[in-house]
Amino acid sequence: MAMLYRQIGSLSQFINELEREGIGDFRTMDDIRSFYNNCKNSLKNELEELKEALARNERRNMLMRFFFFFRKER
């Protein structure tokens, strides 16, 4: 396996571009991968929460329709 002592050109270029945009937290590929995985996991969790909230809301709406239907029938 080859040992790299400095950053490869494309990584250096990418990090420089991020710094120009005001994002200076990334220094290595591990930093970038860690950020990516954290974002991906956060988005998955958020999506699950939204799905659950939607399912609760749908059940609530069905119950409300059910109650209104019987209220009208009386």
Side-chain angles (χ1 to χ4, degrees), residues 2 20 25 33 38 50 54 59 63 70-71:
R20 271 186 255 139
D25 296 338
R33 281 189 192 111
N38 288 339
L50 288 172
L54 180 60
R59 282 188 221 116
L63 283 173
F70 280 107
R71 189 177 291 170

Side-chain angles (χ1 to χ4, degrees), residues 12-70:
S12 297
Q13 204 172 11
F14 182 64
I15 289 172
N16 289 338
E17 187 67 32
L18 289 174
E19 286 176 352
R20 271 186 255 139
E21 295 295 324
I23 305 168
D25 296 338
F26 304 110
R27 296 284 173 227
T28 65
M29 277 304 293
D30 287 335
D31 292 343
I32 295 168
R33 281 189 192 111
S34 176
F35 177 76
Y36 172 77
N37 289 333
N38 288 339
C39 286
K40 190 168 72 169
N41 291 336
S42 294
L43 288 173
K44 281 182 182 179
N45 292 340
E46 187 69 27
L47 181 60
E48 287 301 316
E49 287 178 23
L50 288 172
K51 284 180 183 179
E52 290 171 8
L54 180 60
R56 285 192 305 269
N57 194 33
E58 285 177 358
R59 282 188 221 116
R60 181 176 173 257
N61 287 340
M62 288 174 57
L63 283 173
M64 294 296 280
R65 285 189 222 140
F66 180 75
F67 289 133
F68 283 126
F69 175 76
F70 280 107

Side-chain angles (χ1 to χ4, degrees), residues 2-17:
M3 296 293 291
L4 297 175
Y5 294 101
R6 290 192 232 153
Q7 296 174 348
I8 57 174
S10 57
L11 178 59
S12 297
Q13 204 172 11
F14 182 64
I15 289 172
N16 289 338
E17 187 67 32

